[in-house]
Amino acid sequence: MTREGWVEAHAYLQPVASLCAAVERAAREMAIVNAETPSWDDYDGDFRAGVPLVRSEGAAIDRKPAGAAAASLVAKLAAERSPGNFAADAALLDQALRRETHGARRVVDWLLGEDDFAPPAPGLMRYLGWTALARYLSPVVAAFDKRRNDELWLRRYCPTCGSPPAMAQLLGTDPGRKRLLACGGCGTRWQFPRTKCPFCENDSQKLSVVTVQGEAGLRIDFCVPCGGYLKTYDGQGDEDLLLSDWTSLHLDLVAHDRGLKRRAASLFALDWASGADA
Ligand SMILES: [Zn+2]
Ligand SMILES: [Zn+2]
């Protein structure tokens, strides 16, 4: 499945698709530096205690370069002629970051929920900030995936960055089918009990499912006690496309129409994602 084919079949995704493409291109052109791999031994105690890698003092991941990359990405997009309100919002963000002492550092702390920074266009800031941070962290995420014992984590937040999941993926066949939760921020996927709700932690084995015809294995799993839902990819091979969240924004509308609540993290709580401004 190609991105072009998917967007062609879901024309309402076109505005968000072109903006994602513009941001990804800008990020690619910037050659963002990568985080250094931490000492896993220095992190091990924190891992067992449930502290995500990026928040661990033992792992000591340097946040500064990620903040600088996020600020540069904002500045680059502010200087470009992008569609809709996108460039205008990027310009507002650029001004706010320049005004702020330690603005770049504060953005990263804010993305990680540790700073009360209040940027204009917070939805766009979140999306651009995570785009930079995910690229910065990508080799560390890959190394952590190989190294981590997921059986010792099984928590409802991302082992790398601490975000709640954006989506989920089902792997394998019964018995022994596994569920992974997918971080919309840093891109980590980690194991979580299959029948447990990652929002209220109810383990009633009552996660219910809405299947949607013709959606390449995407479905909506929801929890009856709390009404939270998680879009779930029941397949393999198209993770990059189908777990990127924006490619299934229409399923959020289906869930909303059924009275379910999006309790998953979202980078796409953006006015322009609806197409209204584009
Ligand atoms: Zn994460
Ligand atoms: Zn629940």
Side-chain angles (χ1 to χ4, degrees), residues 197 199-200 202 223 226 263:
C197 171
F199 308 117
C200 71
N202 192 296
C223 166
C226 80
R263 303 180 74 182

Side-chain angles (χ1 to χ4, degrees), residues 162-174:
S163 300
M167 289 186 68
Q169 180 181 21
L170 286 168
L171 280 183
T173 47
D174 275 322

Side-chain angles (χ1 to χ4, degrees), residues 3 8-9 18 23 62 65-66 71 76 94 100 102 111 116 118 121 134 136 139 141 157 169 251 269:
R3 181 194 281 216
E8 210 163 281
S18 42
V23 171
D62 185 6
K76 184 166 165 57
D94 187 35
E100 191 70 43
H102 309 303
L111 292 174
D116 58 4
Y136 173 67
V141 166
Y157 52 89
Q169 180 181 21
L251 295 196

